[in-house]
Amino acid sequence: MLILDMVRKHRPVSRAEIAKLIRMSPTSVGRIVNDLIEIGLVKETDQFSSGVGRKATMLDIDVQQILSVGVEVDRSVIQVGLVDLDGRVVAEQHHVIERTAGQPGIIAEKIAGMIIGLADTQGIAASKFIGVGIGIPGIMDTITGNVVFSAQMGWTNEPFAKMVEAIINLPVVLDNDLKVKALGESSIDAMSNKEITALISIGSGVGSALVMDGKIYRGANNIAGEIGHSTIDPNGKLCECGKRGCLQTYITDLAMLQEANQIKPVSSVNELFALMRAGEAWAHNIIDRACTYIAVTINNVVCTYNPDTIILTGDFIENHPEVFETVRSKSKAFIWEPFIGTFELIRSKHGEKSVMVGAAKLVLQQRLDRGLRHK
Amino acid sequence: MLILDMVRKHRPVSRAEIAKLIRMSPTSVGRIVNDLIEIGLVKETDQFSSGVGRKATMLDIDVQQILSVGVEVDRSVIQVGLVDLDGRVVAEQHHVIERTAGQPGIIAEKIAGMIIGLADTQGIAASKFIGVGIGIPGIMDTITGNVVFSAQMGWTNEPFAKMVEAIINLPVVLDNDLKVKALGESSIDAMSNKEITALISIGSGVGSALVMDGKIYRGANNIAGEIGHSTIDPNGKLCECGKRGCLQTYITDLAMLQEANQIKPVSSVNELFALMRAGEAWAHNIIDRACTYIAVTINNVVCTYNPDTIILTGDFIENHPEVFETVRSKSKAFIWEPFIGTFELIRSKHGEKSVMVGAAKLVLQQRLDRGLRHK
């Protein structure tokens, strides 16, 4: 990844120059460059280096000619994007799915069809795609490509990556949506990735993800960051998981709507916000408490991960502009003094595209790391 | 570290055999081996490999002849140990310090004196020491070797590593005590370090540390894992840090004794346990609630880090044998289903020696990583 980034940034560039830039031995650089040439990511040019000493062949890369496919699958929508090596979405397509049509086989076929459709429309040969990355809510096994469990999709132990691979004949990797989202939000440049980015998402669920030095932190079973079921109060409200006082019983859409409906029928968080803006004190109480617990969550993520950046995202944040500043302001009361000034609290940069961008980046990383060319 | 471990395990071994074992290029292995020979960690033998092809010089290592110094500094005691490459403490000395004698200069001189004393007693030449690692409670800057802040020692911005270095003329590194303890508890063998070990310590304070693939996880400012100030209840009891409802207001010695003294004068946690064993229901209530919050803490560490091993340690755990089983049993009510069976909850293996062992391991890692031989 590092060498690919060096070629991308300094092209045209010689093997020796790369070795100097990243302080790696010329032998190792040569070996990796040969691998990159073999899978078609890097090519030798007719140019030669102009410096002192033996003339060296320059390496180049055609950023737009090599594409990763990034896919987001959610309960209600499939998004497919063709993403270049600079992390730009060059073409994309969205498809609203019926909740009743959530079977993995149907979704896999739809994704494959969308990829082929996009390639046709854009006039891009399938040989230019290096692979497909997919972000899905739930617990994913990145080694087997299985969806272990996804409450949102209603899937358990589905070999989803293999289903898509069987149709499209490209390497397919999948991962948890928030993990790839954090990867998409972190810088595309491996050299500037000496950073620790935590992402916190609040919406229909609560979750977090951590990217360090440009890589997703997975933990032992790829379920690190599932803070929705961290315990706030051992005597608290019963969570749908059967435990008491989980964080998600305080700040998800469902938690807020359950409380609201004790007062009067409210069918959406948007409606709750409208009531708050209309001056309803009880609506303000519900939203205000959620904001307090989001601020608490920021402190707790800071205490455990000590990130330099926290991205606050999810529908609750994105759809209601006042929330971000309220939470930022509240968080000041909860941050322990040694952590003050150690991190930047920001919003999503890529917005709705970040899962696609991250999934595309993931498949690129995996092909480089695992040598998927030998598949 | 990996190559050093390979020599240690397979000695005598040739460069080519190492390259094959760890799948690294012979050139890279050769370069690192030369560095290891230069700093005296590895030596060439008179033996030659017996396999087919060109004869290769075999490499060996004298595990007992190369020692790291591991030091633990706490409010009331200094422990110095000479640790071999297998992680065994071959000699050690403890020194109880007066709280009034806590100035860093005096402690630095004491440490240097203890190291020289141990070397003399054991008849070990100072040239065999590769460096000194020190574990201290508080926030440490591992780059500069400064103690940023240590409430326990009463120190702020003390260039403590440099103070010790100036006296002893050996490379000195320091780090937070729990971070090096976690390193000491994790396996000494880099090849078996494909593991994620979280350590939780409960006593006068609450903290955690994470070691993955044999390396301490530090976060952006080396303060990852400071869970004592994570927020449990935004409306909770005021913490000494000025915030409300921090985890440490529920489970530290001080928190328990403050509660106990509302009923009757109790001067130590040992006394509180004695009262509980004598059948005092209120003493049971206090200890039971602390155990509940330790169980909650285990769940919260699991949700964020997804470790495969959790080491539960600290005076509260070590001094009261019933606590470990109580907490283990209580934790079952708080672990989210997907995490069940993903980790092993264990006690400290090295006990009081683990900070020394970890600190010794840290200085070895740092010398290999940062090339401290060029100092």
Side-chain angles (χ1 to χ4, degrees):
Chain A
M1 198 71 185
L2 190 55
I3 290 181
L4 184 66
D5 274 338
M6 286 300 100
V7 180
R8 195 167 56 81
K9 278 179 73 174
H10 299 280
R11 64 198 145 102
V13 64
S14 73
R15 290 169 174 83
E17 283 163 352
I18 293 172
K20 206 183 280 176
L21 278 166
I22 62 171
R23 295 176 189 194
M24 197 185 266
S25 80
T27 321
S28 304
V29 170
R31 195 156 29 88
I32 297 168
V33 164
N34 288 347
D35 284 354
L36 292 172
I37 290 172
E38 196 186 318
I39 53 176
L41 281 171
V42 164
K43 58 184 180 189
E44 295 190 317
T45 68
D46 300 335
Q47 293 171 278
F48 292 95
S49 64
S50 53
V52 185
R54 196 154 62 96
K55 286 222 183 329
T57 309
M58 303 295 270
L59 303 167
D60 202 353
I61 196 169
D62 193 340
V63 168
Q64 272 77 35
Q65 284 302 300
I66 298 153
L67 295 169
S68 278
V69 182
V71 180
E72 174 171 12
V73 177
D74 203 343
R75 203 194 301 237
S76 56
V77 70
I78 303 173
Q79 297 194 58
V80 173
L82 308 184
V83 183
D84 70 20
L85 291 180
D86 284 334
R88 270 190 299 261
V89 179
V90 298
E92 62 187 300
Q93 201 191 339
H94 300 201
H95 177 76
V96 175
I97 47 179
E98 304 288 324
R99 300 206 174 191
T100 49
Q103 298 96 316
I106 295 174
I107 304 283
E109 273 175 35
K110 187 71 207 170
I111 290 171
M114 288 169 78
I115 296 170
I116 294 163
L118 271 175
D120 282 352
T121 316
Q122 303 289 320
I124 298 168
S127 61
K128 285 179 183 160
F129 296 144
I130 59 157
V132 180
I134 308 177
I136 305 177
I139 300 174
M140 305 293 135
D141 185 331
T142 56
I143 310 292
T144 60
N146 289 2
V147 176
V148 178
F149 175 69
S150 173
Q152 290 86 341
M153 303 304 296
W155 298 351
T156 304
N157 288 325
E158 295 287 354
F160 191 67
K162 289 209 174 66
M163 288 180 193
V164 179
E165 245 170 26
I167 311 169
I168 196 89
N169 195 29
L170 278 170
V172 176
V173 297
L174 55 75
D175 206 339
N176 170 271
D177 59 343
L178 293 186
K179 288 189 169 64
V180 295
K181 188 169 190 171
L183 188 65
E185 292 285 344
S186 80
S187 165
I188 193 78
D189 180 349
M191 270 308 256
S192 64
N193 271 347
K194 288 288 160 207
E195 60 181 14
I196 300 178
T197 301
L199 178 140
I200 300 172
S201 177
I202 318 281
S204 61
V206 188
S208 73
L210 185 70
V211 169
M212 42 187 181
D213 297 349
K215 295 265 182 182
I216 294 168
Y217 174 70
R218 304 183 181 284
N221 310 77
N222 202 31
I223 35 180
E226 288 285 356
I227 55 173
H229 298 280
S230 63
T231 307
I232 289 289
D233 180 357
N235 305 308
K237 227 170 84 179
L238 196 70
C239 178
E240 58 177 18
C241 76
K243 305 190 299 139
R244 288 209 173 273
C246 292
L247 178 60
Q248 72 167 37
T249 65
Y250 291 81
I251 51 179
T252 56
D253 295 354
L254 186 67
M256 281 183 273
L257 292 179
Q258 273 177 351
E259 284 210 310
N261 278 281
Q262 291 172 20
I263 308 295
K264 64 183 260 187
V266 179
S267 64
S268 72
V269 174
N270 282 343
E271 201 182 324
L272 188 63
F273 268 85
L275 287 162
M276 179 186 76
R277 289 180 197 124
E280 296 280 2
W282 60 271
H284 177 266
N285 281 347
I286 292 171
I287 291 168
D288 190 64
R289 193 183 79 152
C291 290
T292 298
Y293 278 93
I294 297 171
V296 162
T297 301
I298 291 171
N299 178 55
N300 295 354
V301 163
V302 164
C303 287
T304 43
Y305 292 142
N306 182 204
D308 52 33
T309 307
I310 293 188
I311 298 161
L312 199 57
T313 187
D315 286 347
F316 187 67
I317 311 295
E318 310 294 346
N319 296 346
H320 312 290
E322 60 265 66
V323 170
F324 185 81
E325 278 312 319
T326 304
V327 168
R328 182 206 287 276
S329 164
K330 277 178 181 279
S331 71
K332 289 175 184 153
F334 297 111
I335 303 297
W336 188 38
E337 204 255 327
F339 286 106
I340 294 171
T342 61
F343 67 95
E344 204 186 353
L345 183 68
I346 61 171
R347 313 182 65 133
S348 162
K349 282 174 286 184
H350 298 297
E352 291 189 348
K353 296 188 183 187
S354 53
V355 174
M356 281 192 301
V357 171
K361 194 171 170 182
L362 179 70
V363 70
L364 178 63
Q365 278 187 352
Q366 303 260 319
R367 279 210 65 174
L368 296 176
D369 290 354
R370 293 200 196 154
L372 279 183
R373 69 188 180 280
H374 299 302
K375 93 182 192 83
Chain B
M1 198 72 186
L2 190 56
I3 290 181
L4 185 66
D5 274 339
M6 286 301 101
V7 181
R8 194 166 58 78
K9 278 179 72 174
H10 299 281
R11 63 200 149 101
V13 64
S14 73
R15 289 169 175 83
E17 282 162 352
I18 294 171
K20 205 183 282 176
L21 278 166
I22 62 172
R23 293 173 191 199
M24 197 184 266
S25 80
T27 321
S28 305
V29 170
R31 195 156 27 88
I32 296 168
V33 165
N34 289 346
D35 284 354
L36 291 172
I37 290 172
E38 197 186 317
I39 53 176
L41 281 171
V42 163
K43 59 184 181 190
E44 295 190 317
T45 69
D46 300 336
Q47 296 171 274
F48 293 95
S49 64
S50 53
V52 184
R54 196 154 61 96
K55 288 224 181 326
T57 308
M58 302 296 270
L59 302 168
D60 202 353
I61 197 170
D62 192 340
V63 168
Q64 272 78 35
Q65 285 302 300
I66 298 154
L67 296 169
S68 278
V69 183
V71 181
E72 174 171 12
V73 177
D74 204 341
R75 204 194 302 239
S76 56
V77 70
I78 303 173
Q79 297 195 58
V80 173
L82 309 184
V83 183
D84 71 19
L85 290 181
D86 284 334
R88 270 191 299 262
V89 179
V90 298
E92 63 187 298
Q93 202 191 338
H94 300 201
H95 176 76
V96 175
I97 47 179
E98 304 288 325
R99 300 204 175 193
T100 50
Q103 298 95 317
I106 294 173
I107 304 283
E109 273 175 34
K110 187 70 208 169
I111 290 171
M114 288 169 78
I115 296 171
I116 293 163
L118 270 176
D120 282 354
T121 315
Q122 302 288 320
I124 298 169
S127 61
K128 284 179 182 156
F129 296 143
I130 60 156
V132 180
I134 309 178
I136 305 178
I139 299 173
M140 306 292 135
D141 184 331
T142 55
I143 310 292
T144 61
N146 289 3
V147 176
V148 178
F149 175 69
S150 172
Q152 290 86 340
M153 303 303 295
W155 299 350
T156 305
N157 288 325
E158 297 286 355
F160 191 67
K162 289 210 175 66
M163 288 180 192
V164 179
E165 244 170 27
I167 310 170
I168 196 87
N169 195 30
L170 279 170
V172 176
V173 297
L174 55 74
D175 207 339
N176 170 270
D177 58 344
L178 294 187
K179 289 190 168 62
V180 296
K181 189 169 190 171
L183 188 64
E185 292 285 344
S186 80
S187 165
I188 193 79
D189 180 347
M191 270 309 256
S192 64
N193 272 346
K194 289 288 160 205
E195 60 180 13
I196 300 177
T197 302
L199 178 140
I200 300 173
S201 176
I202 318 281
S204 60
V206 189
S208 74
L210 185 71
V211 169
M212 41 189 182
D213 297 349
K215 295 266 182 182
I216 294 168
Y217 174 70
R218 304 183 180 286
N221 310 78
N222 202 30
I223 35 180
E226 288 285 356
I227 55 172
H229 297 281
S230 63
T231 306
I232 289 289
D233 180 358
N235 305 309
K237 226 170 85 178
L238 197 71
C239 178
E240 57 178 19
C241 76
K243 305 190 298 139
R244 288 207 173 274
C246 292
L247 178 61
Q248 70 168 37
T249 66
Y250 291 81
I251 52 179
T252 58
D253 296 354
L254 186 68
M256 281 183 272
L257 291 178
Q258 273 177 354
E259 284 209 311
N261 278 279
Q262 291 172 20
I263 308 294
K264 64 182 264 189
V266 178
S267 65
S268 72
V269 174
N270 282 345
E271 202 182 322
L272 187 63
F273 269 85
L275 288 161
M276 179 186 75
R277 289 180 198 125
E280 296 280 2
W282 59 270
H284 178 267
N285 281 346
I286 292 172
I287 290 167
D288 191 64
R289 194 184 78 152
C291 290
T292 299
Y293 278 94
I294 297 171
V296 162
T297 302
I298 291 170
N299 178 54
N300 294 354
V301 163
V302 164
C303 287
T304 44
Y305 292 142
N306 182 204
D308 52 33
T309 307
I310 293 188
I311 298 161
L312 199 58
T313 186
D315 286 347
F316 187 68
I317 311 295
E318 309 295 346
N319 297 346
H320 312 290
E322 59 266 66
V323 169
F324 185 81
E325 278 311 320
T326 304
V327 168
R328 182 207 288 276
S329 164
K330 276 178 182 279
S331 71
K332 289 174 185 154
F334 298 110
I335 304 296
W336 187 40
E337 204 255 327
F339 286 106
I340 294 172
T342 62
F343 66 96
E344 203 187 352
L345 183 68
I346 61 171
R347 313 183 65 135
S348 162
K349 281 174 286 184
H350 298 297
E352 292 188 347
K353 297 187 183 188
S354 53
V355 174
M356 281 192 301
V357 171
K361 193 171 171 184
L362 179 69
V363 70
L364 178 63
Q365 278 186 353
Q366 303 262 316
R367 278 209 67 173
L368 296 177
D369 289 354
R370 292 199 195 154
L372 279 183
R373 67 188 181 280
H374 298 303
K375 90 180 193 85

